Amino acid sequence: MATVSCDKFLDKATGDEGNVSSYFPATQEDVMQLLNSIYAVLNASVSEYPTSNYIMYANIVSDDQFGGGGVSDLDIQAMDRMMYNDRDYFAGYWANCYEGIGRANMVITALGDPESLDEELSQCLGEAYMLRAYFYFTLAQMFENVPWVEQPFQGFDGLCYPPLFPEVGELYMHILQDLKMAYEKMFYSYNVQGRANKAAAAGLLARVYMFYQGFYNGVEELARDLVELELPDGSRLSKREVIDMLRSAIENGGHELIQDFRMIWPYSNEETAKDYTYVQDMSEYFVTDNREAVFEICCAPVSGQANRMYRYFGLRRAGGADIFPFNEGFGFAPVNPGLMKEWPDSDPRKRASVCALEDELFPTHDDWMEFNSDGMEFTGYVQKKYQTYSSKEGENLKFREALSSRKYYGDGKTDLGLGNSPVNVPVLRYADMLLMWVELEGDVTGMNQVRARIGIEPRQSYNLDNVKEERRYELAFEGVRWGDMRRWGGDPRQPDGNNYCKQTLEKQNGQTVYNCGQVATINSSYAERYTETGGFLDYPETEIIRSNGVLQHKDGWRGSDGAYFVR
């Protein structure tokens, strides 16, 4: 891998270019300030790029949700089909990830020898490694092979692409090495909401490891012996090490399953719950700092730090219908009716995760059809987890955003608008940690803990098909399903890749949807596009241009391949 030559890597605090301590950050306070700025970039993924971040993308491109939105939302409808309407649609998110990577590189470089650090600075170093790995992993999941840059640079404009960058296998080994380093340098005692922590590093490492082994090495069944992976520093990573780190995090990380699955999601906040019949039997309510959240993107109800992603998942409202406890948005990512047919009604997570409009909000089919008369790919089903909510507390009894109530906004009267949700975005939950451990170890114990929480009978023995089902229902709409589908199917560009992902994608075809109130049927070349592209996006056009030939258009995206302009 070639070394990047660029003059704008970081601002210099003194003129001593040979001493890294002469660069910002120069003090421990500077380190903390710079580390916090990495979290600001992480927040920007949902505050500044709410429709092009990985979680939005992964939900829509999976088999469980369509594109939706309105007639003009062609980019979202194209995303669902692994096509494009705007070649630069993901350019902002790409730049945001590299902005975070550049800031993480500054912290890592400035802290120097990790063995000489005190506990607090060692924790800071571990957080920087984990955040860098997170940014790279989301880029790799979306674009596959991306430039690996580990030198510091100040601002995205200061990034120079290396003339060569690693093959995708080497890229994943760098990501795994970062996560292993993060795990080793952090401490369980440092467990602050929304910040990278030792347990989160173990969980993310397991997620990356499982995707790499499944998608690139074609290992669908992980509960067997696997070859060790060689990391860039010459060390090796075994499956046993991954399991041990995950098990340690489960036992020592300070996280646990919340007693009621509904408590995880903001529709169960105590202000909404006063008038929402479905949750009035709860003894405890939604809290922003919950024990099940291992890692999440923190948000605040102020401009520039808010969760703006949830409003795009909100219900489109053509008329003035009362949709309490939900509230209006843009109607992205309607739920596939096929999922609703496969998901047993006896599973409490079904109603806790999905709103069937005809059952919860409207007495008849015609009523909910009229309600969403300007929406595309509308199905009558919307997910409840990442959603806008309202309460009836306050002077006007109507608020436009999640948790818009006296308890959360102070005076009960101020309507802060659709763009200012304070709800954090889950990235990794304790339940996911348990299910990854189950799949790696081939032990059903963790799965039965998850099932016991919702009162479902335990499984008697381990079975991969049961794991697939459990993960689909437990983690629905959380941006996890797309990675699972792909790793269980292998690389579709390889002759030995199985058909799991292609089969699940194709099952979307034939489903009934409503386009501006008119009955339609989903019909798209999902399997063909997945095979052509491997399930990866093309590089943003602006980045291809500014890279001076380093980045090129990919298979399935050249010329007019993948263009979507149908209204």
Side-chain angles (χ1 to χ4, degrees), residues 264-310:
I264 305 170
W265 314 113
Y267 61 74
S268 69
N269 77 86
E270 64 178 307
E271 296 298 324
T272 297
K274 293 175 183 177
D275 300 284
Y276 186 21
T277 305
Y278 172 59
V279 296
Q280 285 181 345
D281 64 318
M282 295 177 63
S283 59
E284 294 184 54
Y285 302 100
F286 168 79
V287 291
T288 54
D289 184 7
N290 74 72
R291 300 179 303 279
E292 190 159 338
V294 180
F295 185 58
E296 55 188 358
I297 301 172
C298 277
C299 302
V302 294
S303 179
Q305 299 177 36
N307 173 357
R308 294 176 59 234
M309 183 173 69
Y310 283 17

Side-chain angles (χ1 to χ4, degrees), residues 138-209:
T138 57
L139 286 170
Q141 293 252 281
M142 295 173 79
F143 303 98
E144 190 171 32
N145 200 6
V146 299
W148 174 266
V149 182
E150 53 188 12
Q151 291 87 348
F153 55 91
Q154 179 68 37
F156 180 67
D157 290 340
L159 168 64
C160 291
Y161 289 120
L164 297 173
F165 51 90
E167 295 298 325
V168 68
E170 185 181 346
L171 174 64
Y172 271 86
M173 295 308 103
H174 277 294
I175 295 170
L176 287 168
Q177 181 171 285
D178 271 7
L179 290 168
K180 184 178 179 183
M181 176 69 80
Y183 177 84
E184 292 172 349
K185 296 305 169 188
M186 290 194 282
F187 303 87
Y188 286 126
S189 57
Y190 287 78
N191 192 354
V192 180
Q193 182 190 20
R195 298 190 77 92
N197 56 74
K198 191 178 184 78
L204 188 57
L205 186 148
R207 183 180 288 180
V208 175
Y209 177 85

Side-chain angles (χ1 to χ4, degrees), residues 95-163:
N96 188 67
C97 286
Y98 272 106
E99 179 77 38
I101 289 166
R103 296 182 186 189
N105 289 349
M106 291 176 72
V107 172
I108 292 167
T109 300
L111 290 179
D113 180 14
E115 302 304 323
S116 64
L117 302 177
D118 63 24
E119 186 173 291
E120 185 174 4
L121 285 177
S122 180
Q123 174 71 22
C124 290
L125 180 63
E127 290 183 38
Y129 271 115
M130 181 184 144
L131 291 169
R132 182 169 75 174
Y134 176 78
F135 288 124
Y136 268 122
F137 183 48
T138 57
L139 286 170
Q141 293 252 281
M142 295 173 79
F143 303 98
E144 190 171 32
N145 200 6
V146 299
W148 174 266
V149 182
E150 53 188 12
Q151 291 87 348
F153 55 91
Q154 179 68 37
F156 180 67
D157 290 340
L159 168 64
C160 291
Y161 289 120

Side-chain angles (χ1 to χ4, degrees), residues 63-64 339 341-347 349-350 435 438-439 447 450-451 454 456-459 462-476 481 484-485 487-488 500 504 507:
D63 61 333
D64 285 343
L339 169 63
K341 294 172 185 175
E342 295 177 21
W343 200 337
D345 291 337
S346 59
D347 187 335
R349 292 170 298 194
K350 183 177 183 180
L435 294 175
V438 166
E439 193 173 351
M447 184 191 302
V450 172
R451 293 171 68 82
I454 55 170
I456 291 182
E457 289 294 317
R459 300 287 190 187
Y462 174 82
N463 179 288
L464 181 58
D465 288 337
N466 291 339
V467 173
K468 291 178 180 179
E469 181 181 277
E470 199 69 33
R471 289 186 63 83
R472 187 184 190 190
Y473 300 155
E474 174 68 28
L475 306 172
R481 170 71 175 167
D484 284 348
M485 291 167 57
R487 66 183 177 84
W488 289 324
Y500 179 84
T504 55
K507 287 167 70 175

Side-chain angles (χ1 to χ4, degrees), residues 379-419:
T379 64
Y381 300 107
V382 295
Q383 56 82 20
K384 288 182 176 180
K385 292 181 175 180
Y386 295 176
Q387 190 55 261
T388 56
Y389 299 97
S390 60
S391 74
K392 294 187 177 181
E393 180 77 25
E395 185 177 79
N396 299 320
L397 303 183
K398 288 185 179 180
F399 293 85
R400 288 184 173 271
E401 190 50 86
L403 309 186
S404 187
S405 62
R406 180 175 294 116
K407 178 177 177 60
Y408 294 93
Y409 280 147
D411 63 6
K413 300 178 181 179
T414 305
D415 179 354
L416 295 181
L418 279 168

Side-chain angles (χ1 to χ4, degrees), residues 483-520:
D484 284 348
M485 291 167 57
R486 300 173 74 197
R487 66 183 177 84
W488 289 324
D491 189 338
R493 299 162 298 185
Q494 300 301 318
D496 57 349
N498 73 46
N499 294 318
Y500 179 84
C501 190
K502 286 189 275 189
Q503 289 172 354
T504 55
L505 288 171
E506 280 293 305
K507 287 167 70 175
Q508 296 174 96
N509 283 325
Q511 298 294 337
T512 298
V513 296
Y514 298 88
N515 294 332
C516 297
Q518 301 299 309
V519 178

